Amino acid sequence: MTTKKFPRLVPPRVAGLPLYVPGKPIEEVERELGISAIKLASNENALGPSPKAIEAVARCLAQSNRYPDAGGFYLREKLAARLGVEMDQIVLGAGSTELIQLLCHIYIQPGDVGLTSEGTFVMFPLAVRAAGGTVVQAPLKDYAYDLDALAARLDESVRVVYLANPNNPTGTMFTAAETDRFLARVPENVLVILDEAYCDYVERPDYSHSLDTVRAGRYLIVLRTFSKAYGLAGLRVGYGIGHPEIVGAVNQMRSPFNVSTLALAAAEAALEDAEHIRRSVESNRRGLAYFARELPRLGLRTAPSVANFVYCETGREAKEDFKALLQMGVIVRPMGFMGMPQGLRITVGTEEENRRVVEALARLQESAAGARQHARLGRAGS
Ligand SMILES: *Cc1c(COP(=O)(O)O)cnc(C)c1O
């Protein structure tokens, strides 16, 4: 088909944006390779959704002719009661990434700066650029956010600061006390986004007390999601807990029916299933310990993760490692798109999946060692 081109209609701000490139569906990988594959690429819950959420979705499927409740009343009511905040401090999104996009569109005007770290979740830099803003990133320090380096980059042009805690893709965290010290250096009229997508997995007692900070009235929004520990990534539901003015602005900007009936029902039910969360966290704890033991043994550099994934570096191009692992039916995520071309991110899976990825990595390391030896012998012989 020949299509007429309209080269100037899409503004350069949009035409110049990088595209988020999704991985191939697992079914396609399996079909191409003729083997069963495991997917440890997107930090999904290895145990699946809560059975209660599945039942809730099945129950309300028959009402799909009706529009969803645009206010998400019952889910916000449950969240407010559980988190000890007012309902007008909670806003729902089609995943928390939708909220990141909306916040950037609201707070970033052309020329404004969005400040964050290098080696962090790409959705924020993408959203800042989509809004016509400029991204400033401070370097990571030992695979973790360097809050001093971030604070040093604060100036008049910075409108929004984004912190992921724990960080994706490195899995590292900063403490509540470190957050407080950082916030004391951020001007009050700067929007702070604290992305806590993996908070349910964190068991360290010195982790975030961000909701206290919200309750104290700080101009800040905490983002959480049902996509990770709650196992509902496919249904798209996340939420923000923040200053009522921020919540109000997002409500003005969002599409009224952004969260579907099925997603609302699933999230409400998942929230009540404490047992499923407990099992998920426990299984993850065992998986993290297993990777922390095995990956260094294979000669891989890793970061200390408190989330449901681990970051590691083989010292090679991660894209090549990714391809080799794919051939063994193991799908992980090479981190070039987050600016870390040597990094691989591996989601903690079930015990069997974790064993399989470690075995595949061991084979990869052996063949790389073999190739190096071969090269050395080749040079010695010539
Ligand atoms: C996975 C993830 C999210 C959640 O995305 P959803 O849109 O809620 O599925 C948000 N922030 C970070 C850092 C993540 O890794």
Side-chain angles (χ1 to χ4, degrees), residues 95-97 121 162 168 195 197-198 225 227-228 236:
S96 49
T97 48
F121 197 46
Y162 169 89
N168 175 7
D195 186 342
Y198 302 94
T225 180
S227 294
K228 306 290 158 59
R236 313 306 303 131

Side-chain angles (χ1 to χ4, degrees), residues 105-221:
H105 278 290
I106 295 164
Y107 286 90
I108 297 279
Q109 313 240 37
D112 289 345
V113 167
L115 176 65
T116 187
S117 176
E118 286 174 0
T120 195
F121 197 46
V122 282
M123 290 304 169
F124 177 71
L126 283 179
V128 171
R129 289 181 56 187
T134 305
V135 181
V136 172
Q137 291 173 286
L140 287 173
K141 188 170 157 190
D142 299 331
Y143 300 116
Y145 266 58
D146 182 347
L147 295 180
D148 285 329
L150 270 176
R153 282 162 177 79
L154 284 163
D155 65 24
E156 238 74 301
S157 64
V158 175
R159 301 306 323 147
V160 182
V161 176
Y162 169 89
L163 311 173
N165 192 29
N167 185 36
N168 175 7
T170 58
T172 50
M173 61 160 262
F174 42 87
T175 66
E178 287 166 336
T179 312
D180 289 344
R181 275 199 296 280
F182 174 75
L183 289 178
R185 296 172 69 180
V186 181
E188 269 191 343
N189 62 349
V190 168
L191 172 71
V192 178
I193 304 175
L194 207 47
D195 186 342
E196 299 186 339
Y198 302 94
C199 62
D200 305 289
Y201 288 109
V202 184
E203 301 188 276
R204 286 248 309 254
D206 55 352
Y207 178 64
S208 172
H209 58 205
S210 57
L211 296 185
D212 291 337
T213 314
V214 170
R215 278 183 223 107
R218 173 91 197 197
Y219 208 78
L220 174 133
I221 186 162

Side-chain angles (χ1 to χ4, degrees), residues 1 8 35 38 44 51 67 74 77 118 158 173 185 282 285 290 301 305 344 346 353:
M1 183 176 87
R8 273 192 293 276
I35 54 173
I38 56 169
E44 296 142 340
Y67 278 101
Y74 293 110
E77 187 178 55
E118 286 174 0
V158 175
M173 61 160 262
R185 296 172 69 180
E282 189 183 299
R285 185 192 309 136
Y290 174 71
R301 291 188 61 169
S305 176
L344 283 178
I346 304 166
E353 288 171 332

